[in-house]
Amino acid sequence: MNYEQVVHDQSLYCASQSLELALQLSKLSRQQESEERTRAANRLVKEKARNESRISALRYMYRTVERQDLEELMFELTNLSIEEVSTALSDPDGWRKAISVVDATYQQAEYKAPQKELNQWRIKFLSAIQSK
């Protein structure tokens, strides 16, 4: 297996990890507020940060080898992973205080994982790596 394939495999792993974390977050968003849910959300926030670090490193690797198409796809993967519900679940009191600054009220909503979008991303990514 060559270096390029390892990097591509890591990119696909990050996409799978993004989906898995989103599904876990979706499940948490349907639970009642509790200390256990807050602890689980904090673990997810840390895992999401680690995954995003890997995505950033891969994005840099694609930039160094002048694969702008793949670099842009990694930016897209980051965008698909951005949500605010993990912050709301991991620090409910802090979230309520933060949104009160803009005169908003906190209404817990169920989070829906972007499964379709992440599956479409995988197809675009596989097409991009096969085209070169």
Side-chain angles (χ1 to χ4, degrees):
M1 186 178 287
N2 64 28
Y3 180 75
E4 183 180 26
Q5 186 60 48
V6 170
V7 174
H8 295 332
D9 287 348
Q10 283 297 304
S11 297
L12 290 168
Y13 170 78
C14 285
S16 295
Q17 189 70 6
S18 293
L19 178 57
E20 177 60 31
L21 293 169
L23 291 170
Q24 289 178 30
L25 191 57
S26 178
K27 181 180 174 185
L28 279 180
S29 75
R30 293 188 299 273
Q31 295 177 0
Q32 292 295 319
E33 187 174 325
S34 67
E35 285 187 33
E36 178 57 36
R37 184 185 79 171
T38 301
R39 279 193 298 276
N42 277 313
R43 284 190 299 272
L44 277 177
V45 166
K46 290 175 184 171
E47 194 59 41
K48 283 174 63 75
R50 282 191 289 274
N51 194 50
E52 183 52 40
S53 292
R54 286 189 291 269
I55 292 169
S56 295
L58 292 162
R59 189 169 48 238
Y60 176 77
M61 288 179 198
Y62 288 130
R63 182 183 319 137
T64 60
V65 295
E66 298 178 0
R67 286 296 307 264
Q68 184 178 1
D69 57 336
L70 298 178
E71 180 186 4
E72 288 174 9
L73 280 168
M74 297 311 286
F75 273 117
E76 187 178 325
L77 181 57
T78 294
N79 289 338
L80 289 171
S81 302
I82 294 175
E83 42 65 37
E84 60 190 30
V85 73
S86 61
T87 303
L89 294 176
S90 65
D91 185 8
D93 293 331
W95 184 251
R96 284 186 195 92
K97 289 175 188 174
I99 62 171
S100 71
V101 170
V102 293
D103 291 328
T105 56
Y106 176 63
Q107 294 180 347
Q108 181 179 330
E110 188 176 306
Y111 171 72
K112 188 172 187 297
Q115 287 181 279
K116 180 180 176 184
E117 295 86 349
L118 284 166
N119 286 334
Q120 289 172 341
W121 181 92
R122 291 171 73 87
I123 292 167
K124 286 193 288 188
F125 183 82
L126 289 169
S127 296
I129 61 176
Q130 290 173 355
S131 69
K132 296 271 176 162

